[in-house]
Amino acid sequence: MTTPAGWYDDGSGTLRWWDGQQWTAHVRTEPQPSAPAEPAAPEPPAKEPTPQETTAQIAPESIAPVAAEPVAPVEAVTPSRVAAEPQPFVPPYAIPAQVGYPGAASAPTYPAASVPGYPGAATHLPSPAPARKVSVLGIIGLAVAVLGVVLACVPPVAAIGWVVLGLGFVTSLVSLFLRGAKWPGITGMGVTVFGTVLALGVALLTLGIDSTVEADPVPIATPSERPPVDDSTEGTTDPSEIEGAEMVPFADLAVGDCIPLVEYDPEEEIFEVPVVPCDQPHTDEVYFIYQLDDGDYPGDDAIYELAWDGCAAQFEGFVGLPYEESEFDIYNYTPTKASWSRMDDRTVHCIIYSYEDVTTSLRGTAR
């Protein structure tokens, strides 16, 4: 059973409001009983006047009768009466007396905010973790690894790139054992592994391309249409069958080299020609070599026209007669489209041709 709401003594002599559940901040001062009046000091007894003085001082007509006031009887206080009077309410618990200045109003109290936690454990907010510094050595290793990947993928400097990749890997690995953030070192090691695989693929691809080029060399020249030969002059289709002949690439041909008769297919692309000493039977001789102008490949027909004009202009200077008056004829070897674009070949070889085998140079024969 709960105590009903009301004003009760809180144990400190102050009346406080009880709301039925707990004490409130509302108080009221209980009126104090007035102190009993002190009995007046007894006056000295007055001197009784003599009959003569009374008669002389007080006139008979001034004396009026005075009614006596009734006196209430004083009720005696007995123990049974004290027990019958209501006693002040004693609450289930008393709050400590508030200390303050006399006459100051008491401030209301609010329940303290509670923070959940384990019983008996001190409650506090966790402090933020300090930020970790970035490892300078790890950043250097990452940068070196990126540089190594770039260099290793460039064939001319691939060897330097492999060395730089190794340095980047070692630097990144060492940074993992130092204080600071570990992500630069881990990233640097990952970049080196990726770069190694990528550079290895590029190296294999480059090696495969080089092998293909060596297995299938670029045609160097295409012979122009050659004048028909006499029936008395028989050519061979296999230059290796010519006795004393040496196969010479076009890049090594020089003016004055003598070439035996070889019957080539007009559509055949030639990489090298047989060269014999000029005192052995032969029909052809190199009499002029020059370079065409740079630029895009002009086409097969344009190349033929340029080569023919250039060779015809130098014929008289080598033989000693104009081309129209000579018994000899000419043809040429010109660059192919592949050698023009892939090898920057611009060389034209001018060949003077005899319809019969000769055993000497055709230079200055004036025939």
Side-chain angles (χ1 to χ4, degrees):
M1 178 178 180
T2 59
T3 304
W7 295 97
Y8 300 101
D9 187 353
D10 60 4
S12 62
T14 303
L15 294 179
R16 186 177 298 272
W17 179 258
W18 175 265
D19 62 1
Q21 299 293 333
Q22 61 183 358
W23 291 111
T24 65
H26 303 286
V27 296
R28 187 178 68 180
T29 304
E30 184 178 5
Q32 301 294 333
S34 58
E38 296 181 358
E43 296 181 359
K47 181 181 179 182
E48 295 183 1
T50 60
Q52 291 82 5
E53 292 175 353
T54 304
T55 304
Q57 294 177 1
I58 303 175
E61 59 274 6
S62 61
I63 300 175
V66 178
E69 294 182 359
V71 179
V74 178
E75 185 178 359
V77 178
T78 61
S80 60
R81 181 180 178 184
V82 174
E85 292 182 357
Q87 299 298 323
F89 169 72
V90 179
Y93 57 88
I95 62 175
Q98 298 180 352
V99 180
Y101 297 98
S106 59
T109 59
Y110 299 95
S114 60
V115 180
Y118 296 100
T123 304
H124 61 279
L125 295 177
S127 58
R132 303 185 67 181
K133 296 182 179 180
V134 178
S135 174
V136 177
L137 188 61
I139 294 296
I140 295 175
L142 177 59
V144 172
V146 173
L147 179 61
V149 172
V150 176
L151 294 178
C153 293
V154 180
V157 293
I160 300 176
W162 285 101
V163 175
V164 176
L165 273 177
L167 293 176
F169 183 84
V170 173
T171 305
S172 301
L173 180 62
V174 173
S175 68
L176 298 180
F177 298 95
L178 303 179
R179 292 183 178 180
K182 308 299 182 184
W183 67 263
I186 297 175
T187 306
M189 294 179 64
V191 170
T192 55
V193 173
F194 170 76
T196 301
V197 175
L198 180 62
L200 184 60
V202 172
L204 293 177
L205 181 62
T206 304
L207 183 61
I209 293 176
D210 292 341
S211 300
T212 303
V213 171
E214 292 178 0
D216 186 16
V218 178
I220 300 299
T222 301
S224 63
E225 185 177 356
R226 184 173 179 163
V229 297
D230 294 339
D231 294 338
S232 59
T233 305
E234 295 182 0
T236 180
T237 58
D238 187 1
S240 63
E241 296 179 356
I242 301 175
E243 184 179 356
E246 179 185 0
M247 301 304 296
V248 178
F250 277 94
D252 297 335
L253 283 177
V255 175
D257 287 343
C258 296
I259 305 171
L261 177 60
V262 178
E263 295 180 358
Y264 294 106
D265 189 322
E267 301 297 329
E268 185 178 357
E269 295 177 331
I270 303 173
F271 305 98
E272 54 188 6
V273 294
V275 175
V276 297
C278 292
D279 58 357
Q280 291 186 11
H282 64 278
T283 56
D284 302 354
E285 185 177 349
V286 180
Y287 75 92
F288 185 64
I289 300 174
Y290 74 100
Q291 302 290 323
L292 296 174
D293 295 335
D294 288 334
D296 295 335
Y297 183 70
D300 294 341
D301 294 339
I303 285 284
Y304 176 79
E305 294 293 336
L306 292 172
W308 181 264
D309 293 342
C311 291
Q314 300 297 323
F315 182 88
E316 184 177 359
F318 184 79
V319 176
L321 281 178
Y323 172 72
E324 293 80 3
E325 301 177 6
S326 176
E327 63 181 75
F328 303 127
D329 216 328
I330 60 174
Y331 70 97
N332 53 69
Y333 290 103
T334 57
T336 64
K337 183 177 181 180
S339 65
W340 181 287
S341 59
R342 292 172 58 179
M343 301 179 64
D344 293 331
D345 182 20
R346 306 289 187 271
T347 306
V348 175
H349 296 82
C350 301
I351 311 298
I352 186 172
Y353 172 75
S354 173
Y355 290 93
E356 297 178 354
D357 284 338
V358 296
T359 55
T360 184
S361 174
L362 301 179
R363 184 191 296 269
T365 57
R367 293 167 52 190

